[in-house]
Amino acid sequence: IEAWRSKYAQLASEHLNLPVSERVRIVAHGHVTGSEGEKNRYTSHGPLSVGFGGATTTIGPEYGVGIALERLVDAPVLLVKCSWGNTALGGAWRPPTMDGVETPKETAKREEWNTKMAEQAKEEGKLYTPRTAPEKSGKLSYCWGMTLPQIERVLADPGKYHPDYDPEKGYDIAGMVWFQGYSDQGNPAYGELLVELIKFMREKYDAPDMPFVAGTLGMPSYKHMALEGDVNGGMIQAAQH
C-alpha cells in the first residue's frame, strides 16, 4: 500500500502539480487506507501527500491543512488524523465529559418530546413511558475509544513518525482541526457539544490556549444560509462562547 501511495503521489505531483510535503508528516487512523490494523482501524503514516483518505488515490482535509501549514510554519509538523464516516457529535463523537450528562438543549428537546407523546397517548387511550435522562456508562464513545489511544501512541514516540523530531526540544500541540457534522443535521445541541469537546481536548492535553479550527458544512443552498442550521450555526455558537 505504501508503495502504491508513493507512486500515486509522484504522478499527482508530476501531472496535477500537487505537492508532496517535505516537512509535514502524517499518521492517519480509522477509515483510511493503511497496511496496519483491520476494518475500521487501519493506520498509515509517512510524508503528507495524496493517499491518506479512504484510498491510495484520495485525500481528506489533512492534505490542504498540512500543505498550508508547511508554507506558514518553519518547523517540522506532524498531523494525527482520526477519521470515521457516518459518525455524529451527538453519539460516536460525544465528548467523554458528557457521558450521562445532557446539555440544556438536549434536556429541552427530550422534555418537549415527552410532553407531545404523552398528550398523543392520552388522546389514543394508551400509556406512554417518558424518555429518561441518559445514565453514565463509564465507557468512551465509539470514536473517542479509538482516537485517544491513537493520540497517546503517537505522542509517546513522535520520532517514530517524524525523522526531524528533536527529543531535546520536544513538541508543542499546535492546534486541532475539526471537519465533521453531516450526521448531526437536526441536532440542535451541536454547538453546546462542540464547546464541551473543545474544553475536553484542551484540558486533556494541558493546552488551554490550543487553537481549534472547524470547517463548516457545504450543505446550504444559498450564501445567506451558509452559517445557519444546527451544525454550521452550532460552530458559530461555539466560536462566540
Side-chain angles (χ1 to χ4, degrees):
I1 290 177
E2 280 69 20
W4 279 108
R5 179 185 292 111
S6 178
K7 181 62 176 179
Y8 285 128
Q10 180 183 349
L11 291 171
S13 177
E14 292 177 357
H15 300 286
L16 301 177
N17 198 31
L18 293 177
V20 176
S21 178
E22 296 181 1
R23 302 202 71 185
V24 178
R25 299 289 176 121
I26 181 172
V27 183
H29 182 65
H31 283 165
V32 299
T33 300
S35 57
E36 301 175 22
E38 59 182 359
K39 294 182 179 179
N40 62 339
R41 302 189 187 210
Y42 283 109
T43 300
S44 58
H45 58 88
L48 181 64
S49 66
V50 300
F52 287 98
T56 52
T57 57
T58 63
I59 64 171
E62 78 288 337
Y63 186 74
V65 170
I67 295 300
L69 287 173
E70 182 166 60
R71 294 170 178 170
L72 294 169
V73 180
D74 184 22
V77 175
L78 178 59
L79 303 178
V80 183
K81 173 185 178 178
C82 295
S83 174
W84 292 273
N86 301 317
T87 52
L89 178 56
W93 282 107
R94 191 173 189 84
T97 50
M98 298 303 290
D99 178 23
V101 180
E102 286 183 322
T103 73
K105 287 186 178 179
E106 286 177 321
T107 300
K109 185 177 182 179
R110 178 174 56 80
E111 292 178 345
E112 180 183 2
W113 173 263
N114 282 338
T115 299
K116 176 183 177 180
M117 297 308 295
E119 291 176 353
Q120 180 177 320
K122 183 177 180 180
E123 292 175 359
E124 298 174 355
K126 300 178 181 179
L127 293 175
Y128 171 67
T129 302
R131 290 181 179 177
T132 59
E135 296 182 359
K136 188 177 182 66
S137 70
K139 300 178 181 179
L140 291 171
S141 59
Y142 174 76
C143 289
W144 287 114
M146 296 182 283
T147 295
L148 294 180
Q150 176 65 10
I151 294 175
E152 295 299 331
R153 280 192 289 269
V154 175
L155 295 184
D157 188 10
K160 176 181 178 180
Y161 305 102
H162 205 308
D164 295 336
Y165 174 67
D166 184 347
E168 293 186 2
K169 292 183 178 179
Y171 62 82
D172 291 322
I173 296 179
M176 179 174 176
V177 178
W178 177 253
F179 192 66
Q180 179 275 347
Y182 183 86
S183 297
D184 278 286
Q185 296 175 96
N187 176 12
Y190 190 89
E192 295 174 329
L193 290 169
L194 190 59
V195 167
E196 293 303 320
L197 184 152
I198 297 168
K199 287 181 178 179
F200 166 73
M201 289 298 283
R202 287 175 170 171
E203 182 176 349
K204 173 72 175 176
Y205 296 103
D206 193 24
D209 299 319
M210 180 187 73
F212 184 94
V213 178
T216 55
L217 295 183
M219 305 303 296
S221 303
Y222 302 98
K223 184 177 180 179
H224 72 275
M225 300 167 59
L227 300 180
E228 298 177 355
D230 293 321
V231 177
N232 289 359
M235 292 179 182
I236 298 301
Q237 176 188 345
Q240 295 173 341
H241 187 273

